Amino acid sequence: GEDVEQSLFLSVREGDSSVINCTYTDSSSTYLYWYKQEPGAGLQLLTYIFSNMDMKQDQRLTVLLNKKDKHLSLRIADTQTGDSAIYFCAETRGTASKLTFGTGTRLQVTL
Amino acid sequence: GAVVSQHPSWVICKSGTSVKIECRSLDFQATTMFWYRQFPKQSLMLMATSNEGSKATYEQGVEKDKFLINHASLTLSTLTVTSAHPEDSSFYICSARGFVGTGEPGNTIYFGEGSWLTVV
């Protein structure tokens, strides 16, 4: 079945870049997403990438996709304290498929 | 702004009673909605997939008679936890698949703010 893995924790200093990694096993994934969850809140869609792309940039966010290695990463430039949250990657196969979530990475931003 | 709204955000109920949580898509029609449960410091666990006008599809291990899901319209799905017990206390999150016209894929899934259920 599908499996999506993330490292559990990342700590960075304010102003540095953060890189959150994700690996998945389903080679038929067509859409990959990054969601942010702040404490006690729902998930906020940050960005997405199609499987036929290898990079997407959106302001401070850069998504890199290595389809051969089934590796997805999210880079946050100039990380701020407000970026502290749990970040989930997720993949889906198509218009009718459910999302499969990663385990989540807790990002801690220190001063 | 939010595109999926959940209500209530917090609810406390007595053991043995039932509680209903609503999930509404705002400004878009959601033919499919999903209900998740999240335990502290864990990822989301999909409970069921709800399609408008048809019965929900439950994930393995989820009791359909305990977690009643109704998706009566294209903008509203409800989750009713029947005969709630303390072990049902959790964070419940809904999501809706739809197109809100901001350039994202048409099957993008948007999440509600979540509902904290405490059963005492």
Side-chain angles (χ1 to χ4, degrees), chain A residues 1-7 20-27 29 32-34 64-74 88-91 100-105:
Chain A
E2 309 100 5
D3 196 18
V4 184
E5 298 283 340
Q6 295 177 242
S7 52
I20 301 170
N21 295 301
C22 172
T23 57
Y24 59 98
T25 57
D26 189 352
S27 58
S29 298
L32 297 117
Y33 300 86
W34 283 102
L64 294 178
L65 174 62
N66 182 327
K67 197 173 179 183
K68 174 176 171 287
D69 294 337
K70 300 190 187 68
H71 182 265
L72 181 73
S73 68
L74 173 69
F88 290 96
C89 65
E91 61 89 19
T100 299
F101 282 94
T103 45
T105 300

Side-chain angles (χ1 to χ4, degrees), chain B residues 89-100:
Chain B
S89 299
S90 190
F91 189 51
Y92 292 87
I93 306 178
C94 75
S95 66
R97 189 198 307 278
F99 180 61
V100 300

Side-chain angles (χ1 to χ4, degrees), chain B residues 43-80:
Chain B
S43 190
L44 283 74
M45 182 191 81
L46 179 64
M47 298 173 67
T49 301
S50 164
N51 291 298
E52 186 264 339
S54 63
K55 290 185 179 180
T57 302
Y58 289 81
E59 295 297 303
Q60 193 171 7
V62 178
E63 298 176 62
K64 62 180 181 180
D65 294 330
K66 180 166 184 63
F67 298 100
L68 299 178
I69 291 170
N70 183 276
H71 192 161
S73 77
L74 286 170
T75 59
L76 174 64
S77 176
T78 61
L79 167 68
T80 302

Side-chain angles (χ1 to χ4, degrees), chain B residues 100-114:
Chain B
V100 300
T102 56
E104 74 294 353
N107 66 337
T108 296
I109 296 175
Y110 296 91
F111 285 81
E113 308 97 327

Side-chain angles (χ1 to χ4, degrees), chain A residues 30-31 33 35 37 40-45 48 50 86 88 92-99 101-104 106, chain B residues 34 36 38 41-44 46 49 59 91 93 97 102-114 116:
Chain A
T30 51
Y31 304 98
Y33 300 86
Y35 288 89
Q37 185 180 35
L43 275 69
Q44 173 195 355
L45 175 65
Y48 61 91
F50 297 113
I86 299 176
F88 290 96
T92 185
R93 266 186 280 171
T95 56
S97 294
K98 62 187 180 186
L99 278 175
F101 282 94
T103 45
R106 182 178 297 273
Chain B
F34 304 87
Y36 297 83
Q38 188 179 30
K41 297 184 180 180
Q42 293 189 26
S43 190
L44 283 74
L46 179 64
T49 301
E59 295 297 303
F91 189 51
I93 306 178
R97 189 198 307 278
T102 56
E104 74 294 353
N107 66 337
T108 296
I109 296 175
Y110 296 91
F111 285 81
E113 308 97 327
W116 286 99

Side-chain angles (χ1 to χ4, degrees), chain A residues 12-18 76-81 83 109-111:
Chain A
V12 299
R13 281 191 169 181
E14 188 178 40
D16 288 350
S17 292
S18 309
I76 305 173
D78 187 25
T79 312
Q80 302 297 307
T81 54
D83 295 324
V109 183
T110 59
L111 296 173

